[in-house]
Amino acid sequence: MQRSKSKSKEITAVTILTIIVMSASTACNSHKDEQSNAYFYKTEETVHTYEGYFYLHSYTDLWQDIDLYITELESFSNGVLYTLELEQPVSSDPYDELLDRKYLGYFYVVDEMIYYLPAEKDGYTDADNNRVIEQIKSDEADFLEQCMIVCCEKGTEDITDDNGYHAYVEVDGDKRIFRYYNDYFYGSKEYMLMVWEKGQGITYYIHGNGAKNMHVEFGSHIKEKQKVDYGYPYKIL
C-alpha cells in the first residue's frame, strides 16, 4: 500500500512539472509571435497591399495598387531584422522600372524604435544579408550608428548632416512621421517620408529625387494623404 502511494505521488509530481513546462513554452511562443513594436507590421504579416503612385522614367503618372513584401531575416535578443520590398508596377513603357527603389531597405525593429539602413542597388543578395546580420551579431552598437531612426515613440530632434540633409521623427498622435530632405532639394537631392501608425505599419511613404524624379509613393487613401501638409519639400504634387 505504501509503495502504491509513493508511485501515485511520483506520477502527480511529473504531471505538475509537465504542465509547468508546457505553460512556460506556450508563454514563450506567444511572446515570440507578438510584435513588440506597436508601429511595425504584425509578426504574421508578410505582404501588405497599398494604393500606389509612381512617376518614373516615362515621366507619366502611374496609379495602381502595389504589394509590399515584409520578410523577417533574423531575430536577435534586442530586436528583429526585416527587409521591405515593393513589387514592380505594371507599365506599357519598358523604362518604367523601380530599379533600386523597389528595395526599401533593412529595418531593425526594437521595442520603441525602428532603425533603417538603405539596401544596396543590387537588392537583398545573400552576401549583403549575411553582412548585415553579422554586423548586428558582432557589434550591434556600431551597426546602429550606421542607421537612421525612422520611428521612435518619443520622436527625435531635427539633425542636419554636413551635406545639408535633415532627418528626424515627429510625434503626431498615433502617428510617427519620419522626414529626410535637403533644404535645396532640386536636381539630384533626395527626399523621403515615412508615416507609421500604431497597429498598421507604414501608412504613407514617399521616396524620390529633385523635382519628382523617380518618385515612388504608396499608402492608404493616398489622394487624401497628398492633401495633408507634410511640409517642405513634399508639397510637389
Side-chain angles (χ1 to χ4, degrees):
M1 177 68 71
Q2 186 66 29
R3 185 176 178 182
S4 176
K5 287 183 178 179
S6 176
K7 187 173 182 180
S8 176
K9 288 181 179 179
E10 288 178 5
I11 293 173
T12 301
V14 170
T15 302
I16 293 172
L17 181 60
T18 301
I19 292 172
I20 292 172
V21 171
M22 288 177 67
S23 298
S25 176
T26 301
C28 181
N29 289 334
S30 175
H31 176 74
K32 184 177 179 183
D33 290 341
E34 293 176 359
Q35 177 57 256
S36 60
N37 190 300
Y39 294 92
F40 200 71
Y41 300 92
K42 292 180 173 59
T43 303
E44 68 274 10
E45 189 170 17
T46 58
V47 60
H48 194 109
T49 303
Y50 290 98
E51 297 174 13
Y53 168 72
F54 307 92
Y55 193 80
L56 305 172
H57 289 293
S58 65
Y59 303 112
T60 57
D61 295 325
L62 185 61
W63 295 87
Q64 61 184 258
D65 288 352
I66 201 83
D67 284 341
L68 177 71
Y69 301 104
I70 306 148
T71 303
E72 178 182 329
L73 284 186
E74 189 85 12
S75 180
F76 303 88
S77 58
N78 293 328
V80 183
L81 181 66
Y82 293 88
T83 60
L84 300 183
E85 180 177 347
L86 280 175
E87 70 170 327
Q88 172 62 41
V90 178
S91 173
S92 58
D93 193 315
Y95 291 102
D96 273 344
E97 293 283 339
L98 287 180
L99 303 176
D100 56 313
R101 285 287 156 84
K102 70 184 296 186
Y103 309 109
L104 270 63
Y106 295 93
F107 292 80
Y108 187 54
V109 181
V110 300
D111 286 349
E112 293 191 352
M113 293 187 185
I114 300 174
Y115 294 88
Y116 159 74
L117 183 70
E120 299 294 334
K121 290 186 179 298
D122 53 354
Y124 307 119
T125 65
D126 289 341
D128 288 332
N129 291 345
N130 290 333
R131 173 179 53 79
V132 174
I133 290 170
E134 289 305 314
Q135 279 183 325
I136 298 174
K137 285 181 178 178
S138 62
D139 193 339
E140 183 183 62
D142 182 63
F143 168 76
L144 296 182
E145 283 292 323
Q146 302 173 43
C147 297
M148 287 191 285
I149 298 173
V150 294
C151 185
C152 177
E153 183 65 46
K154 298 180 180 180
T156 63
E157 295 182 0
D158 182 355
I159 299 175
T160 307
D161 66 16
D162 294 338
N163 296 314
Y165 277 96
H166 297 258
Y168 62 98
V169 176
E170 179 183 339
V171 175
D172 181 10
D174 282 343
K175 298 185 183 73
R176 296 298 178 268
I177 303 168
F178 170 72
R179 293 179 173 88
Y180 178 78
Y181 65 93
N182 195 288
D183 285 330
Y184 182 79
F185 70 96
Y186 294 97
S188 62
K189 298 301 184 183
E190 186 177 10
Y191 55 85
M192 184 184 295
L193 174 74
M194 294 184 203
V195 179
W196 304 81
E197 292 193 47
K198 275 190 175 179
Q200 300 183 58
I202 295 174
T203 56
Y204 192 39
Y205 175 94
I206 293 176
H207 191 187
N209 287 78
K212 214 171 78 168
N213 178 41
M214 280 301 289
H215 182 88
V216 172
E217 181 176 352
F218 64 82
S220 54
H221 311 293
I222 60 175
K223 288 190 177 181
E224 295 177 15
K225 294 285 199 306
Q226 289 175 349
K227 297 175 184 177
V228 176
D229 183 5
Y230 285 103
Y232 182 92
Y234 308 112
K235 297 177 70 174
I236 58 176
L237 299 175

